[in-house]
Amino acid sequence: MTMPPPPMQQPPPYVRPPGNGSIAWIVGLIVLLCLPFVGSLLAAALMIGLGLAQRSKGGLAAHNGASAATWGVIYLVATIVLVGAHFGLVFWVTGGEGADGFFPVGIPITVWGLVSLVHLVMCIWGTVVTSQNRAFGFGVSFFRAR
């Protein structure tokens, strides 16, 4: 005599894992687009927007999102000030006719390049840490996680 087949079992329902806020750090890499200054402004704005949107998820996602939004504000302000200072110096000091040498007119754009390099490091570091479901922060916070 053969045994009847076992009853069909339903697969367990899909349970969405809690958010970790890494998307807010990942969008910071948009700065790698080949659009000078525009990619930086876009990356910073998206980090702020997506970072603050993570607060509705609560917990770890809210903390990491607030950290990403804070870094986005810092990078946005640095980009506007340094790039604005560079072009201001170019037109004010040289009268729009160009300079004899790169320095001192090139100091703000050089500092901005270094800040952009730090931004890339922070975004990669933040993405790696938050993808491991760990909190990432750097001591400064303009936004609360709620």
Coordinates of all heavy atoms in Angstrom, one line a residue, residues 47-121:
M47 N 21.1 63.4 -0.8 CA 21.5 62.8 0.5 C 20.6 63.5 1.6 O 20.2 62.8 2.5 CB 23.0 63.1 0.8 CG 23.9 62.2 0.1 SD 25.6 62.4 0.5 CE 25.7 61.6 2.1
I48 N 20.4 64.8 1.4 CA 19.6 65.5 2.4 C 18.1 64.9 2.4 O 17.5 64.5 3.4 CB 19.6 67.0 2.2 CG1 21.0 67.5 2.5 CG2 18.6 67.7 3.1 CD1 21.2 68.9 2.0
G49 N 17.6 64.9 1.1 CA 16.2 64.4 1.0 C 16.0 63.0 1.4 O 15.0 62.7 2.2
L50 N 16.8 62.1 0.9 CA 16.6 60.7 1.2 C 17.0 60.4 2.7 O 16.4 59.5 3.3 CB 17.4 59.8 0.3 CG 16.9 59.6 -1.1 CD1 17.8 58.9 -2.0 CD2 15.5 58.9 -1.0
G51 N 18.0 61.1 3.2 CA 18.3 60.9 4.6 C 17.2 61.3 5.5 O 16.9 60.6 6.5
L52 N 16.5 62.4 5.3 CA 15.4 62.9 6.1 C 14.2 62.0 5.9 O 13.4 61.8 6.8 CB 15.1 64.3 5.8 CG 16.1 65.3 6.2 CD1 15.7 66.7 5.8 CD2 16.4 65.2 7.7
A53 N 14.0 61.4 4.7 CA 12.9 60.5 4.5 C 13.1 59.2 5.3 O 12.1 58.5 5.6 CB 12.8 60.2 3.0
Q54 N 14.3 58.8 5.6 CA 14.6 57.6 6.4 C 14.1 57.7 7.8 O 13.9 56.7 8.5 CB 16.1 57.3 6.4 CG 16.7 57.0 5.1 CD 16.0 55.8 4.4 OE1 16.0 54.7 5.0 NE2 15.6 55.9 3.2
R55 N 13.8 58.9 8.3 CA 13.4 59.1 9.7 C 12.0 58.4 9.9 O 11.7 58.0 11.0 CB 13.3 60.6 10.0 CG 14.7 61.2 10.0 CD 14.7 62.6 10.6 NE 13.8 63.5 10.0 CZ 13.6 64.7 10.4 NH1 14.3 65.2 11.4 NH2 12.8 65.5 9.7
S56 N 11.2 58.3 8.9 CA 9.9 57.7 9.1 C 10.0 56.2 9.3 O 9.1 55.6 9.9 CB 9.0 58.0 7.9 OG 9.5 57.3 6.7
K57 N 11.1 55.6 9.0 CA 11.3 54.2 9.2 C 11.7 53.9 10.6 O 11.6 52.8 11.1 CB 12.3 53.6 8.2 CG 11.9 53.6 6.8 CD 12.9 53.0 5.9 CE 12.4 53.0 4.5 NZ 13.4 52.4 3.5
G58 N 12.2 54.9 11.3 CA 12.6 54.7 12.7 C 13.9 53.9 12.9 O 14.4 53.3 12.0
G59 N 14.3 53.8 14.1 CA 15.4 53.0 14.5 C 16.7 53.3 13.8 O 17.1 54.5 13.7
L60 N 17.4 52.3 13.3 CA 18.7 52.4 12.7 C 18.6 53.2 11.4 O 19.5 54.0 11.1 CB 19.2 51.0 12.4 CG 20.6 50.9 11.8 CD1 21.7 51.5 12.8 CD2 21.0 49.4 11.5
A61 N 17.6 53.0 10.6 CA 17.4 53.7 9.4 C 17.3 55.2 9.7 O 17.9 56.1 8.9 CB 16.2 53.3 8.6
A62 N 16.6 55.6 10.7 CA 16.5 57.0 11.1 C 17.8 57.6 11.5 O 18.2 58.7 11.0 CB 15.4 57.2 12.2
H63 N 18.6 56.9 12.3 CA 19.9 57.4 12.7 C 20.8 57.6 11.5 O 21.5 58.6 11.4 CB 20.5 56.4 13.7 CG 21.9 56.8 14.1 ND1 22.2 57.8 14.9 CD2 23.1 56.3 13.7 CE1 23.5 57.9 15.0 NE2 24.1 57.0 14.3
N64 N 20.9 56.5 10.7 CA 21.8 56.6 9.6 C 21.4 57.6 8.5 O 22.2 58.3 7.9 CB 22.0 55.2 8.9 CG 22.8 54.3 9.8 OD1 23.6 54.7 10.6 ND2 22.5 53.0 9.7
G65 N 20.1 57.8 8.4 CA 19.5 58.8 7.4 C 19.8 60.2 7.9 O 20.2 61.1 7.1
A66 N 19.7 60.4 9.2 CA 20.0 61.7 9.8 C 21.5 62.1 9.6 O 21.9 63.2 9.3 CB 19.6 61.8 11.2
S67 N 22.3 61.1 9.8 CA 23.8 61.3 9.6 C 24.1 61.6 8.1 O 24.9 62.5 7.8 CB 24.6 60.0 10.0 OG 24.5 59.8 11.4
A68 N 23.4 60.9 7.2 CA 23.7 61.2 5.8 C 23.1 62.6 5.4 O 23.8 63.3 4.6 CB 23.0 60.1 4.9
A69 N 22.0 63.0 6.0 CA 21.5 64.3 5.7 C 22.4 65.4 6.3 O 22.6 66.4 5.6 CB 20.1 64.4 6.3
T70 N 23.0 65.2 7.4 CA 23.9 66.1 8.0 C 25.1 66.3 7.1 O 25.6 67.4 6.8 CB 24.3 65.7 9.4 OG1 23.2 65.7 10.2 CG2 25.4 66.6 10.0
W71 N 25.7 65.1 6.6 CA 26.8 65.2 5.8 C 26.4 65.9 4.4 O 27.2 66.6 3.9 CB 27.4 63.8 5.5 CG 28.6 64.0 4.6 CD1 28.7 63.6 3.3 CD2 29.9 64.6 4.9 NE1 29.9 63.9 2.7 CE2 30.6 64.5 3.7 CE3 30.4 65.1 6.0 CZ2 31.9 65.0 3.6 CZ3 31.7 65.7 5.9 CH2 32.4 65.6 4.7
G72 N 25.3 65.6 3.9 CA 24.8 66.3 2.7 C 24.8 67.8 2.9 O 25.1 68.5 2.0
V73 N 24.3 68.3 4.0 CA 24.3 69.7 4.3 C 25.7 70.3 4.3 O 26.0 71.3 3.7 CB 23.5 70.1 5.6 CG1 23.7 71.5 6.0 CG2 22.0 69.8 5.4
I74 N 26.6 69.6 5.0 CA 28.0 70.1 5.1 C 28.6 70.1 3.7 O 29.2 71.1 3.3 CB 28.8 69.1 6.0 CG1 28.3 69.3 7.5 CG2 30.3 69.4 5.9 CD1 28.9 68.3 8.4
Y75 N 28.4 69.1 2.9 CA 29.0 69.1 1.6 C 28.3 70.1 0.6 O 29.0 70.7 -0.2 CB 28.9 67.7 1.0 CG 29.6 67.5 -0.4 CD1 30.9 67.8 -0.5 CD2 28.9 67.1 -1.5 CE1 31.6 67.6 -1.7 CE2 29.6 67.0 -2.7 CZ 30.9 67.3 -2.8 OH 31.5 67.1 -4.0
L76 N 27.0 70.3 0.8 CA 26.3 71.3 -0.1 C 26.9 72.7 0.2 O 27.2 73.5 -0.7 CB 24.8 71.2 0.2 CG 24.0 72.2 -0.6 CD1 24.0 71.9 -2.1 CD2 22.5 72.2 -0.1
V77 N 27.0 73.0 1.5 CA 27.5 74.4 1.9 C 28.9 74.5 1.5 O 29.3 75.6 0.9 CB 27.3 74.6 3.4 CG1 28.0 75.8 3.9 CG2 25.8 74.7 3.8
A78 N 29.8 73.5 1.7 CA 31.1 73.6 1.2 C 31.3 73.8 -0.3 O 32.1 74.6 -0.7 CB 31.9 72.4 1.7
T79 N 30.4 73.1 -1.0 CA 30.5 73.2 -2.5 C 30.1 74.6 -2.9 O 30.8 75.3 -3.7 CB 29.6 72.2 -3.2 OG1 30.1 70.9 -2.8 CG2 29.5 72.4 -4.7
I80 N 29.0 75.1 -2.4 CA 28.5 76.5 -2.8 C 29.5 77.5 -2.4 O 29.9 78.4 -3.2 CB 27.1 76.8 -2.2 CG1 26.1 75.8 -2.8 CG2 26.8 78.2 -2.3 CD1 24.7 75.9 -2.1
V81 N 30.1 77.5 -1.2 CA 31.0 78.5 -0.7 C 32.3 78.4 -1.5 O 32.8 79.5 -2.0 CB 31.3 78.4 0.8 CG1 32.4 79.2 1.2 CG2 30.0 78.7 1.6
L82 N 32.9 77.2 -1.6 CA 34.2 77.1 -2.3 C 34.2 77.4 -3.8 O 35.0 78.1 -4.3 CB 34.8 75.8 -2.0 CG 35.2 75.6 -0.5 CD1 35.6 74.1 -0.2 CD2 36.4 76.5 -0.1
V83 N 33.2 76.8 -4.5 CA 33.1 77.1 -5.9 C 32.7 78.5 -6.2 O 33.2 79.2 -7.1 CB 32.1 76.1 -6.6 CG1 31.8 76.4 -8.0 CG2 32.6 74.7 -6.4
G84 N 31.8 79.1 -5.3 CA 31.5 80.5 -5.5 C 32.7 81.4 -5.2 O 32.9 82.4 -5.9
A85 N 33.5 81.0 -4.2 CA 34.7 81.8 -3.9 C 35.6 81.8 -5.1 O 36.3 82.8 -5.4 CB 35.3 81.3 -2.6
H86 N 35.8 80.6 -5.7 CA 36.7 80.5 -6.8 C 36.3 81.4 -8.0 O 37.1 82.1 -8.5 CB 36.8 79.0 -7.3 CG 37.5 78.8 -8.5 ND1 38.9 79.0 -8.6 CD2 37.1 78.6 -9.8 CE1 39.3 78.8 -9.8 NE2 38.2 78.6 -10.6
F87 N 35.0 81.3 -8.4 CA 34.6 82.1 -9.5 C 34.6 83.5 -9.1 O 34.8 84.4 -10.0 CB 33.3 81.6 -10.0 CG 33.4 80.3 -10.8 CD1 32.8 79.1 -10.3 CD2 34.1 80.3 -12.0 CE1 33.0 77.9 -11.0 CE2 34.2 79.1 -12.7 CZ 33.7 77.9 -12.2
G88 N 34.3 83.9 -7.9 CA 34.3 85.2 -7.4 C 35.7 85.8 -7.5 O 36.0 86.9 -8.0
L89 N 36.7 85.0 -7.1 CA 38.1 85.4 -7.2 C 38.5 85.6 -8.7 O 39.3 86.5 -9.1 CB 39.0 84.4 -6.5 CG 39.1 84.6 -5.0 CD1 39.9 83.4 -4.4 CD2 39.7 85.9 -4.6
V90 N 38.1 84.6 -9.5 CA 38.5 84.7 -10.9 C 38.0 86.0 -11.6 O 38.8 86.7 -12.3 CB 37.9 83.5 -11.7 CG1 38.0 83.7 -13.2 CG2 38.7 82.2 -11.3
F91 N 36.8 86.4 -11.3 CA 36.2 87.6 -11.9 C 36.6 88.9 -11.2 O 36.7 89.9 -11.8 CB 34.7 87.5 -12.1 CG 34.3 86.4 -13.1 CD1 33.7 85.2 -12.7 CD2 34.6 86.6 -14.5 CE1 33.4 84.3 -13.7 CE2 34.3 85.6 -15.4 CZ 33.7 84.5 -15.0
W92 N 36.8 88.8 -9.9 CA 37.1 90.0 -9.1 C 38.6 90.3 -9.2 O 39.0 91.5 -9.5 CB 36.7 89.8 -7.7 CG 36.9 91.0 -6.8 CD1 36.4 92.2 -7.0 CD2 37.8 91.0 -5.7 NE1 36.9 93.1 -6.0 CE2 37.7 92.3 -5.2 CE3 38.5 90.1 -5.0 CZ2 38.4 92.7 -4.0 CZ3 39.2 90.5 -3.9 CH2 39.2 91.8 -3.4
V93 N 39.4 89.3 -8.9 CA 40.9 89.6 -8.9 C 41.4 89.8 -10.3 O 42.2 90.7 -10.6 CB 41.6 88.4 -8.2 CG1 43.1 88.6 -8.3 CG2 41.2 88.4 -6.7
T94 N 41.0 88.9 -11.2 CA 41.6 89.0 -12.6 C 40.8 89.8 -13.5 O 41.2 90.0 -14.7 CB 41.8 87.6 -13.1 OG1 40.5 87.0 -13.4 CG2 42.6 86.7 -12.2
G95 N 39.6 90.3 -13.1 CA 38.8 91.0 -14.0 C 38.2 90.2 -15.2 O 37.8 90.7 -16.2
G96 N 38.2 88.9 -15.0 CA 37.6 88.0 -16.0 C 38.6 87.7 -17.2 O 38.2 87.0 -18.1
E97 N 39.8 88.2 -17.1 CA 40.8 88.0 -18.2 C 41.7 86.9 -17.9 O 42.7 86.6 -18.7 CB 41.5 89.3 -18.4 CG 40.6 90.4 -18.9 CD 41.4 91.7 -19.2 OE1 42.6 91.6 -19.3 OE2 40.8 92.7 -19.3
G98 N 41.6 86.2 -16.8 CA 42.5 85.1 -16.5 C 43.6 85.5 -15.6 O 44.0 86.7 -15.6
A99 N 44.3 84.6 -14.9 CA 45.4 84.9 -14.0 C 46.7 84.4 -14.6 O 46.7 83.6 -15.5 CB 45.1 84.2 -12.7
D100 N 47.8 85.0 -14.2 CA 49.1 84.6 -14.6 C 49.4 83.2 -14.1 O 50.1 82.4 -14.8 CB 50.1 85.6 -14.2 CG 50.0 86.9 -14.8 OD1 49.4 87.0 -15.9 OD2 50.4 87.9 -14.2
G101 N 49.0 82.9 -12.9 CA 49.3 81.6 -12.3 C 48.0 81.0 -11.7 O 47.0 81.7 -11.6
F102 N 48.2 79.7 -11.3 CA 47.0 79.1 -10.7 C 46.7 79.6 -9.3 O 45.5 79.8 -8.9 CB 47.2 77.6 -10.7 CG 46.0 76.8 -10.2 CD1 44.8 76.7 -11.0 CD2 46.0 76.1 -9.0 CE1 43.7 76.0 -10.6 CE2 44.9 75.4 -8.6 CZ 43.8 75.4 -9.4
F103 N 47.7 79.8 -8.5 CA 47.5 80.2 -7.2 C 47.7 81.7 -7.1 O 48.6 82.3 -7.8 CB 48.5 79.5 -6.2 CG 48.2 78.0 -6.1 CD1 49.0 77.1 -6.7 CD2 47.1 77.6 -5.4 CE1 48.7 75.8 -6.6 CE2 46.8 76.3 -5.3 CZ 47.6 75.3 -5.9
P104 N 47.1 82.5 -6.3 CA 46.1 82.2 -5.2 C 44.7 82.0 -5.7 O 43.8 81.6 -4.9 CB 46.3 83.3 -4.3 CG 46.5 84.5 -5.2 CD 47.3 83.9 -6.3
V105 N 44.4 82.3 -6.9 CA 43.0 82.2 -7.4 C 42.5 80.8 -7.3 O 41.3 80.5 -7.1 CB 42.9 82.7 -8.8 CG1 41.5 82.6 -9.4 CG2 43.3 84.2 -8.9
G106 N 43.4 79.8 -7.5 CA 43.0 78.4 -7.5 C 42.9 77.7 -6.2 O 42.5 76.5 -6.1
I107 N 43.2 78.4 -5.1 CA 43.1 77.8 -3.7 C 41.7 77.3 -3.4 O 41.6 76.1 -3.0 CB 43.6 78.8 -2.7 CG1 45.1 79.0 -2.9 CG2 43.3 78.3 -1.3 CD1 45.8 80.0 -1.9
P108 N 40.6 78.1 -3.6 CA 39.3 77.5 -3.2 C 38.9 76.3 -4.0 O 38.3 75.4 -3.5 CB 38.3 78.7 -3.5 CG 39.2 79.9 -3.5 CD 40.5 79.5 -4.0
I109 N 39.2 76.3 -5.3 CA 38.8 75.1 -6.1 C 39.7 73.9 -5.8 O 39.2 72.7 -5.8 CB 38.9 75.4 -7.6 CG1 38.0 74.5 -8.4 CG2 40.3 75.3 -8.2 CD1 36.5 74.8 -8.2
T110 N 40.9 74.1 -5.3 CA 41.7 73.0 -4.9 C 41.2 72.4 -3.5 O 41.1 71.2 -3.4 CB 43.2 73.5 -4.7 OG1 43.7 74.0 -5.9 CG2 44.1 72.3 -4.2
V111 N 40.8 73.3 -2.6 CA 40.2 72.9 -1.4 C 38.9 72.1 -1.6 O 38.6 71.1 -1.0 CB 40.0 74.1 -0.4 CG1 39.2 73.7 0.8 CG2 41.3 74.7 0.0
W112 N 38.1 72.6 -2.6 CA 36.9 72.0 -2.9 C 37.1 70.5 -3.5 O 36.4 69.6 -3.2 CB 36.1 72.8 -4.0 CG 34.8 72.0 -4.4 CD1 33.7 71.9 -3.7 CD2 34.7 71.3 -5.6 NE1 32.8 71.1 -4.5 CE2 33.4 70.8 -5.6 CE3 35.5 71.1 -6.7 CZ2 32.9 70.0 -6.7 CZ3 35.0 70.4 -7.8 CH2 33.7 69.8 -7.8
G113 N 38.2 70.4 -4.3 CA 38.6 69.1 -4.8 C 38.9 68.1 -3.6 O 38.5 67.0 -3.7
L114 N 39.6 68.6 -2.6 CA 39.9 67.8 -1.5 C 38.7 67.5 -0.7 O 38.5 66.3 -0.2 CB 41.0 68.5 -0.6 CG 42.3 68.7 -1.2 CD1 43.2 69.6 -0.3 CD2 43.0 67.4 -1.5
V115 N 37.8 68.4 -0.5 CA 36.5 68.2 0.2 C 35.7 67.1 -0.6 O 35.1 66.3 0.0 CB 35.7 69.5 0.4 CG1 34.3 69.2 0.8 CG2 36.4 70.4 1.3
S116 N 35.7 67.2 -1.9 CA 35.0 66.2 -2.7 C 35.6 64.8 -2.6 O 34.9 63.8 -2.5 CB 35.0 66.6 -4.2 OG 34.2 67.8 -4.4
L117 N 36.9 64.7 -2.4 CA 37.6 63.4 -2.2 C 37.1 62.9 -0.8 O 36.8 61.7 -0.7 CB 39.1 63.6 -2.2 CG 39.9 62.3 -2.1 CD1 39.6 61.4 -3.2 CD2 41.4 62.7 -2.1
V118 N 37.1 63.8 0.2 CA 36.6 63.4 1.5 C 35.1 62.9 1.4 O 34.7 61.9 2.1 CB 36.8 64.5 2.6 CG1 36.1 64.2 3.9 CG2 38.2 64.8 2.8
H119 N 34.4 63.6 0.6 CA 32.9 63.2 0.4 C 32.8 61.8 -0.1 O 32.0 61.0 0.3 CB 32.3 64.2 -0.5 CG 30.9 63.8 -1.0 ND1 29.8 63.8 -0.1 CD2 30.5 63.2 -2.1 CE1 28.8 63.4 -0.8 NE2 29.1 63.0 -2.0
L120 N 33.7 61.5 -1.1 CA 33.7 60.1 -1.7 C 34.0 59.1 -0.6 O 33.4 58.0 -0.5 CB 34.6 60.0 -2.9 CG 34.2 60.6 -4.1 CD1 35.3 60.5 -5.2 CD2 32.9 60.0 -4.7
V121 N 35.0 59.4 0.2 CA 35.4 58.4 1.2 C 34.3 58.3 2.3 O 34.0 57.1 2.7 CB 36.7 58.9 1.9 CG1 37.0 58.1 3.2 CG2 37.9 58.9 0.9

